[in-house]
Amino acid sequence: MMTAGTVAEGPAVDCGARLSACGIRPTAQRLRIASLLLAAPQHRSAEQILASLRAEGARVSKATLYNTLNLFAARGLIRQLSVDGARAWFDSNVDPHYHFHDLASGALTDVPVPAVHFSRLPDPPPGTEIAGIDLVIRLRKKM
Amino acid sequence: MMTAGTVAEGPAVDCGARLSACGIRPTAQRLRIASLLLAAPQHRSAEQILASLRAEGARVSKATLYNTLNLFAARGLIRQLSVDGARAWFDSNVDPHYHFHDLASGALTDVPVPAVHFSRLPDPPPGTEIAGIDLVIRLRKKM
DNA sequence: TTCCTTGCAAAACTTTTGCATTAAA
DNA sequence: TTTAATGCAAAAGTTTTGCAAGGAA
């Protein structure tokens, strides 16, 4: 259960340690955001995250939320996804994995790495190397 | 060479026919946009397309450009890509293919289908089927 | 004190929309 | 004539920024 109480218990300790380990000063707002996102793997938009924080009673401004999400993403604590042009999605699972994207509902679902095998990949252009692979499998209703 | 003259020559005829074939009324603005995009495979943002049109001397408003790009995409004449959260990219190559995304420059490069082999793909969830696969290989400078 | 973080509001940017005008069939 | 497309400006949605105030070291 993700309530305000969660913040003061077990997960909060882990979050503080994780933030410190990343060189991020664990302020109250950052702990609330980290606690929300790192409690379980999830895909959320900034607006959804803000709504959850407010619902929990957290006092976090939009500016701080965006600052924090960008900071977390830069430090590898979360991952920003580009699945639609409208807005950014933040994935709290930073382990390698792929996504299903349901075109009707917009829902994102994880596809674990073992479910996909690349038996051939192109060589990266000279002077470059592969930094990551984003795979989005778009789903429509079966007719 | 992509100049205003191009519009009145060979490509314009093809464009008019292609638009009509898609049930799109071939107006002057749509022909200019189609002529620009369909002349060769390319990845462009709306703003880049507008700049090129204006540089050619075409009179196209921003509203009409977006209307037209969305219309073309809906009819399968072009494809909209989500590679970064900031803006939409339009790909005039609608044949199946994938992309390299150079993180340093933002450049997009095609990866042909034969360069990638999926030897395993997940089954789509019940009631759904795969509508498409978007693969973006992010590139960074090799160290 | 010194530096970093926060919040608010405003700005920036991309894309969409309302509506009067214009062009196409 | 009848319908659809265009352009302009304004609006909408998302994200960033400037700056004063607050908090941590």
Side-chain angles (χ1 to χ4, degrees), chain A residues 25 46 62-63 66 70 86-88:
Chain A
R25 184 187 297 179
K62 191 175 287 197
Y66 276 102
N70 289 337
R87 85 209 79 236

Side-chain angles (χ1 to χ4, degrees), chain B residues 18-71:
Chain B
R18 290 195 63 184
L19 295 190
S20 297
C22 292
I24 298 173
R25 184 186 297 180
T27 66
Q29 284 80 357
R30 289 169 174 174
L31 283 171
R32 296 299 287 255
I33 297 167
S35 178
L36 174 63
L37 292 178
L38 305 183
Q42 55 193 294
H43 313 104
R44 317 281 298 272
S45 69
E47 213 56 44
Q48 290 176 339
I49 295 167
L50 193 59
S52 293
L53 290 167
R54 298 269 162 87
E56 292 181 352
R59 196 181 55 82
V60 181
S61 71
K62 191 174 285 196
T64 295
L65 176 62
Y66 277 101
N67 284 343
T68 301
L69 291 173
N70 288 337
L71 177 63

Side-chain angles (χ1 to χ4, degrees), chain B residues 68-128:
Chain B
T68 301
L69 291 173
N70 288 337
L71 177 63
F72 284 7
R75 301 297 171 87
L77 233 44
I78 61 176
R79 181 176 152 197
Q80 182 172 340
L81 305 177
S82 301
V83 291
D84 64 49
R87 86 209 75 240
W89 292 90
F90 295 92
D91 190 340
S92 59
N93 178 4
V94 293
D95 296 327
H97 67 284
Y98 311 114
H99 294 97
F100 280 131
H101 180 224
D102 190 298
L103 295 173
S105 68
L108 283 174
T109 317
D110 282 355
V111 174
V113 167
V116 179
H117 277 188
F118 293 98
S119 54
R120 184 190 296 179
L121 274 175
D123 289 325
T128 68

